[in-house]
Each structure stands twice: as structure tokens, then as C-alpha cells.
Amino acid sequence: MQREIYSVKVYSGRMDYDAFRFELTPQQNEEENDYWGMNFTVSVFCRGQMCARIWGKLYDENRVYGGAMDILNVADPYGPEETALAEAFNGCPELCVRQEEWKSERGFSGYLQGGFVEPAFRGRGIAGYLLKNLHHILYHAMNIKIRAVGASPMPVAEIGGDVVEDAAQLSKNRTLLEKCGFHEILDESMSAMAYGNYDDEDIALGTGYFVRVYPLI
């Protein structure tokens, strides 16, 4: 059986400026465009064909907490699901308390806004690899160290734009997150539940949001 050859491309909001002023330094331009953090996208291709992608938002903890802010205050979510994720993630103990090894490090924390693997490429371990090794991928590509990352297991749109409403896929996504070191954030606040992944009778299961604290590289 012929082994597939994959390529990975990492894109960062740090490298895309809506407005660039040549009288400013590169760092000043970065701060002008997105002071608190950056967007990122990790795409996987197989023989030129897009087969998987994850994307999200990361925040510079030194700037956020140094400015007496928190993740929810500085978040710029695109929709209600992301608003709920930012809110649930903002209050989780893993984000509020830094382990001793992270106290002297410049860490970035945030959340995944979405991710998918095209049907023809599922079952090959691609999603698991990206989630388990996200800290290594972004460190080598962007020279940043990520600490805590939140995620929702809700299925998202495929490349073609069709929204996936699939309870079986939701269960698979939850299992995948757990296998990759994520665990559920047990925040039962009504605001977090408003756009959560369960009906009211299932509230005992939690909000349906997950978080992982990555080991320091």
C-alpha cells in the first residue's frame, strides 16, 4: 500500500495586517492590528488536496492579565457558540490558575473556533495528531508557547459550507477530545448553557465545552 504524503501549512494573524504603517516598527504594527492576541489556522493537505483544518484564537496572557483584563473581556467572538465557549473557558480553574512551571513563562491561551477532517480522510488519526501536538506545531511555526486551549465538540461546517447536524459525530468529537488530553469544563451557568451542546435535562453532564493545559515545551 502506497504511503500518503501530507503537508502542513500554518497561518497566523500576526502575518496579516489590515493596516500597516511604515513609520511604526513591526511590533508596533502587530499591536495596532491585534493587541491582545492572534488568530491561527493549521491546514493539512494530501497531494494538493485539502483534507483537514483547525483554527482558533490565542491571547497573550501577559498582556491580558497585565492589563487587568480577562479572556472574555478581550475576546471578539463571531457568533453565539463562540461567545458561550469564551465565557465558559474564561471561568475554568485551568485558565485562572497557572501552574508553577508557567509562572515565569510567556504563555498564550485561547480556544479553537472550529475544525474538520474531510470524510475521505477520516480514520487516519489526523485530527488526533493536530490536537495532541498543537503546542509543538505552533511553537515551531510561530515561536509561541500555548498553555490552556478550550474547544467545543459541536460539529462545524465542512469545506463546502454545509452545516453538520450529527449527534453521532458529536459523541465522536467528545471522545476524540478526551483522548487528546482535554476534559470537560463543568460550568452549569445559564449563560454558558444558552448555546451549549445539551438539552436542559442533560445539564448534569456539563456544558459540553472542553479544555486542555499543554505541557511546557
Side-chain angles (χ1 to χ4, degrees), residues 19-39:
F20 191 92
R21 296 164 54 191
F22 287 100
E23 67 271 21
L24 301 180
T25 67
Q27 182 178 355
Q28 288 170 332
N29 273 292
E30 174 193 331
E31 294 174 356
E32 288 258 322
N33 281 269
D34 193 345
Y35 180 77
W36 301 111
M38 72 200 74
N39 294 297

Side-chain angles (χ1 to χ4, degrees), residues 6-17:
Y6 297 95
S7 61
V8 176
K9 300 184 184 301
V10 180
Y11 169 84
S12 166
R14 272 185 167 182
M15 297 178 284
D16 184 5
Y17 299 106

Side-chain angles (χ1 to χ4, degrees), residues 146-165:
I146 61 172
R147 188 178 69 85
V149 173
S152 168
M154 286 293 284
V156 299
E158 302 284 356
I159 293 178
D162 298 325
V163 176
V164 179
E165 298 289 349

Side-chain angles (χ1 to χ4, degrees), residues 54-209:
I54 59 173
W55 63 95
K57 179 77 175 184
L58 295 171
Y59 301 93
D60 186 331
E61 293 186 331
N62 285 4
R63 288 182 179 174
V64 172
Y65 301 128
M69 304 287 279
D70 59 33
I71 296 295
L72 183 60
N73 294 144
V74 301
D76 184 24
Y78 293 98
E81 173 68 20
E82 190 176 332
T83 300
L85 174 56
E87 185 173 24
F89 178 54
N90 189 67
C92 74
E94 290 83 358
L95 188 64
C96 299
V97 179
R98 293 196 198 188
Q99 306 93 320
E100 192 65 34
E101 62 179 355
W102 278 100
K103 288 182 179 179
S104 60
E105 291 288 338
R106 184 183 181 188
F108 286 74
S109 290
Y111 41 81
L112 298 178
Q113 294 167 316
F116 60 80
V117 177
E118 281 288 86
F121 295 93
R122 291 175 185 169
R124 304 186 188 187
I126 297 174
Y129 182 92
L130 295 178
L131 292 171
K132 289 177 182 177
N133 295 284
L134 185 62
H135 56 318
H136 288 296
I137 294 171
L138 297 187
Y139 177 71
H140 289 292
M142 298 164 53
N143 196 32
I144 63 172
K145 297 181 180 181
I146 61 172
R147 188 178 69 85
V149 173
S152 168
M154 286 293 284
V156 299
E158 302 284 356
I159 293 178
D162 298 325
V163 176
V164 179
E165 298 289 349
D166 187 345
Q169 188 61 47
L170 171 61
S171 177
K172 291 178 182 177
N173 290 348
R174 289 172 54 84
T175 300
L176 173 64
L177 287 171
E178 291 171 348
K179 286 183 177 179
C180 293
F182 289 76
H183 64 272
E184 195 164 14
I185 306 169
L186 297 177
D187 176 2
E188 298 181 2
S189 67
M190 289 306 296
S191 53
M193 281 298 300
Y195 298 98
N197 304 324
Y198 302 106
D199 296 328
D200 290 342
E201 59 268 22
D202 295 325
I203 192 170
L205 296 176
T207 61
Y209 302 116

